[in-house]
Amino acid sequence: MSRTPCTVLAFATTLLACACASTGGASPDPAKPTALEVEVPSIRHPAGETPQWWFRDGAAQAAARGAMSGRAKNVILFVGDGMSLTTVAAARILDGQRKGGPGEENRLSWENFPSTALSRTYNTDSQTPDSAGTMSAMATGVKTRAGVLSIGQQAPRKDCAQALKAPVLTLWELAASRGFATGVVTTTRVTHATPGATFTHTPERNWENDTELSDEARADGCVDIARQLVETPYGHGPDVLMGGGRKNFMPVSERDPEYDDKVGERLDGRDLIAQWKQRHPEGTYVWNAQQLADAPAHGPLLGLFEPDHMQFSQDRPRDGAGEPTLAEMTRAAIARLKQNDKGFVLLVEGGRIDHAHHYGNAYRALTDTIALSEAVQAAVDATSAQDTLILVTADHSHTLSFVGYPKRGNPILDKVRGSSGEDDGNGSYALDQLGLPYTTLSYSNGPGYIGASAQQPEGPKRFLHTVSGVQIPKNGRPDLRNVDTQDPDYLQEALVPTAAESHGGDDVGIWAHGPGSDAVRGNVEQNTIFHFLLQSMPALRGELCKAGDCDDNGVPVTLPDPDKFRAARE
């Protein structure tokens, strides 16, 4: 990186005075992050937005906050899918109450991190985003449309021909192509939106196996997500890939090893697990917790623990074959990846927080958030703050609300005991204007609506509620006095009846720990997260500089050409 001249560099409201190396001049403080200015052209939104503009703007936001001062060898991105700030607050309290305290004073593992920021999550075509567009922003440094994975916004959703012209290089592909170790760990199918954005490019997030592609997409040359994960031309792909989704890797002719009544879903005859083994002859494939525990502590690892998504934390103990926890998968991944002397890039997703919210079930959303907290702590314990940047965030929010004025220590999943206003509560149930109690947590929309449906009668709803035929309630709000709202299967009331609870468009948190974490502050566009990670890792950003994608200060500002990083085809 070239030496900064003796000038004042500015970006937005960030100013840094550079000390002159002359008689009487003070030496720069090496502990302080150095802010660097990256000029970004002014555009008219959204018409002027392009992938190159988003990349440069994200680079500028990170550089202005001093991310280039980071000296990380490794970076780990934790994503709590759908982990809104309300989710974090409620999970913190539930975790603390489970430990015997009132809960409010408790901290989840990442709440001990020194640096925090807010992330703006909108997609280029939607105020309220989805997981595909949001993770693509974090993976590539470029915001894009809802529903697409790691392609530029110029390609419409489902348009294969345009998508093939618009791939955007991901941090994981860059790392793998240059010999760094890479890992992807999730509790969803590994072909789902968040993990899929790391090594695949598609205009439709639902093209997870060959049966889901349209005839037009096949004719145009698009390939399903599972196949892209195994056949990626970037290095040898992820060194560690763990989660659910076996069915997308297995042909219909093959029976699932865990469930006698299930088979693979591929109709193209490809056995992608066998292909992965062939590509990684020194690797290990596992499909249950014991096999993971017994696996060698070195070499590539593929773990597919369910045909579909992995179990919620609440339901995992009942899994017959046994599934590892997110913390156990995190430890296994780090143990293998850290053996690479160059360093590693790892994604860990608590993916089912989002699904529980969609189901209108706060209990499972909060307990999966607690499981993510345990995984983050496992990563902190397994790495050093001197060489590993750990960043925790969410891809988007949800409509969970924290309401009323419950007294200190009130069980977070219970009815409000306290007051419905800012007056003193007496500790008994707070009542609405109908004289009925209500829960601290509720949803703005979703399957917890109290009207009768074709599946469940009027009144409180139970997990799992697949909604159709909703009716307007005849009897009004139910009396919850004798309803156990802390039961894991209770669904919080929803104001608007929808088949699934929706995402929210509000900002989410970012928490950071390790080299480069000082730069994580303020309110940033979500694609800046990529640049925080990249700029904080000198060896990796140097690979982009070698390709001519950096400015005079060594800041990667030019959108990389993916062709420069693909391995030659045989």
Side-chain angles (χ1 to χ4, degrees):
M1 187 173 75
S2 60
R3 195 173 291 276
T4 305
C6 180
T7 56
V8 176
L9 300 174
F11 178 80
T13 59
T14 304
L15 297 174
L16 177 72
C18 299
C20 294
S22 59
T23 304
S27 299
D29 182 353
K32 289 185 177 180
T34 301
L36 297 174
E37 180 183 21
V38 173
E39 292 185 4
V40 180
S42 297
I43 61 169
R44 185 179 180 86
H45 296 279
E49 296 168 2
T50 65
Q52 173 56 54
W53 184 89
W54 280 116
F55 193 87
R56 190 175 187 92
D57 184 65
Q61 292 184 52
R65 289 166 170 80
M68 290 289 290
S69 297
R71 294 294 180 266
K73 177 181 178 183
N74 317 303
V75 294
I76 306 175
L77 175 63
F78 281 90
V79 176
D81 198 313
M83 191 175 71
S84 63
L85 291 173
T86 305
T87 305
V88 172
R92 165 205 308 152
I93 293 173
L94 179 61
D95 183 51
Q97 290 175 345
R98 285 178 156 190
K99 294 173 181 175
E104 298 85 1
E105 76 299 332
N106 185 54
R107 289 176 179 263
L108 298 175
S109 58
W110 58 79
E111 293 184 293
N112 294 308
F113 287 6
S115 300
T116 59
L118 290 174
S119 170
R120 302 183 183 195
T121 64
Y122 63 91
N123 296 138
T124 59
D125 60 347
S126 182
Q127 283 184 341
T128 298
D130 87 319
S131 296
T134 51
M135 184 59 203
S136 295
M138 293 186 279
T140 67
V142 171
K143 283 209 176 199
T144 191
R145 296 174 182 265
V148 308
L149 295 181
S150 298
I151 61 172
Q153 69 187 78
Q154 66 269 35
R157 187 170 181 175
K158 297 183 184 296
D159 190 328
C160 172
Q162 292 301 312
L164 291 174
K165 301 175 184 177
V168 185
L169 187 74
T170 76
L171 190 71
W172 282 259
E173 291 169 336
L174 170 62
S177 73
R178 294 301 183 256
F180 295 79
T182 60
V184 178
V185 174
T186 181
T187 52
T188 69
R189 298 185 297 268
V190 296
T191 49
H192 209 237
T194 302
T198 59
F199 276 96
T200 76
H201 307 267
T202 179
E204 177 49 64
R205 58 175 287 179
N206 294 315
W207 291 349
E208 296 186 47
N209 66 52
D210 66 299
T211 67
E212 293 162 336
L213 270 72
S214 65
D215 291 340
E216 182 181 8
R218 288 194 196 91
D220 286 340
C222 275
V223 175
D224 63 87
I225 293 169
R227 188 175 161 193
Q228 287 189 57
L229 282 171
V230 172
E231 298 179 354
T232 175
Y234 297 96
H236 48 251
D239 296 278
V240 173
L241 178 62
M242 284 191 283
R246 279 195 303 263
K247 65 182 182 181
N248 293 322
F249 293 78
M250 296 166 50
V252 293
S253 59
E254 186 174 344
R255 191 169 300 279
D256 187 85
E258 184 177 0
Y259 302 99
D260 289 339
D261 61 341
K262 298 183 185 300
V263 296
E265 292 194 356
R266 300 194 66 85
L267 290 177
D268 60 2
R270 293 177 183 272
D271 182 344
L272 294 182
I273 295 172
Q275 278 189 228
W276 181 89
K277 291 178 180 178
Q278 185 176 18
R279 189 174 188 184
H280 303 277
E282 73 284 18
T284 304
Y285 167 64
V286 299
W287 59 267
N288 61 54
Q290 190 59 54
Q291 289 179 351
L292 176 61
D294 294 340
H298 55 82
L301 176 66
L302 173 63
L304 299 174
F305 301 106
E306 280 289 327
D308 207 292
H309 301 303
M310 292 180 68
Q311 304 284 351
F312 288 107
S313 294
Q314 160 67 16
D315 306 313
R316 184 181 57 80
R318 296 195 293 271
D319 184 81
E323 291 184 12
T325 65
L326 188 59
E328 289 169 342
M329 291 192 290
T330 300
R331 281 190 287 266
I334 292 172
R336 288 161 176 79
L337 299 178
K338 69 192 305 184
Q339 296 176 34
N340 186 310
D341 291 337
K342 279 194 168 185
F344 65 81
V345 176
L346 171 63
L347 167 71
V348 180
E349 183 200 20
R352 304 223 66 194
I353 300 168
D354 172 75
H355 296 162
H357 279 318
H358 282 311
Y359 291 142
N361 182 227
Y363 184 97
R364 284 176 173 80
L366 302 189
T367 50
D368 267 44
T369 302
I370 294 170
L372 179 66
S373 176
E374 293 166 352
V376 171
Q377 188 59 53
V380 171
D381 294 341
T383 59
S384 167
Q386 300 304 309
D387 66 8
T388 302
L389 171 62
I390 299 177
L391 194 151
V392 180
T393 190
D395 48 356
H396 55 73
S397 182
H398 269 276
T399 73
L400 183 70
S401 295
F402 190 142
V403 304
Y405 294 84
K407 66 183 180 66
R408 179 75 186 273
N410 194 64
I412 191 65
L413 292 163
D414 204 357
K415 280 78 71 176
V416 173
R417 288 182 174 84
S419 173
S420 291
E422 296 183 25
D423 50 336
D424 290 335
N426 59 13
S428 59
Y429 285 138
L431 304 178
D432 66 11
Q433 290 297 298
L434 300 172
L436 297 172
Y438 53 92
T439 56
T440 303
L441 301 179
S442 59
Y443 288 100
S444 296
N445 56 36
Y449 181 70
I450 60 175
S453 70
Q455 294 76 28
Q456 296 188 26
E458 181 174 324
K461 297 301 186 290
R462 303 275 298 174
F463 177 86
L464 180 66
H465 185 204
T466 305
V467 185
S468 64
V470 176
Q471 301 175 28
I472 296 174
K474 298 177 181 178
N475 301 309
R477 285 196 61 240
D479 189 338
L480 298 177
R481 287 180 179 87
N482 295 317
V483 175
D484 183 5
T485 62
Q486 299 184 73
D487 186 284
D489 291 339
Y490 173 78
L491 300 190
Q492 279 64 33
E493 288 183 39
L495 175 65
V496 177
T498 54
E501 181 268 352
S502 76
H503 296 171
D506 42 311
D507 295 353
V508 298
I510 313 173
W511 297 263
H513 163 87
S517 62
D518 287 348
V520 179
R521 63 185 190 275
N523 185 291
V524 299
E525 297 288 0
Q526 190 168 47
N527 57 303
T528 305
I529 290 172
F530 167 95
H531 298 277
F532 283 145
L533 298 171
L534 174 65
Q535 291 182 23
S536 296
M537 199 173 178
L540 191 56
R541 71 176 187 244
E543 297 296 336
L544 288 183
C545 293
K546 292 176 185 176
D549 296 327
C550 297
D551 65 9
D552 290 343
N553 287 316
V555 181
V557 294
T558 302
L559 187 67
D561 178 359
D563 286 338
K564 293 181 180 180
F565 299 90
R566 291 190 183 103
R569 296 281 188 177
E570 293 182 0

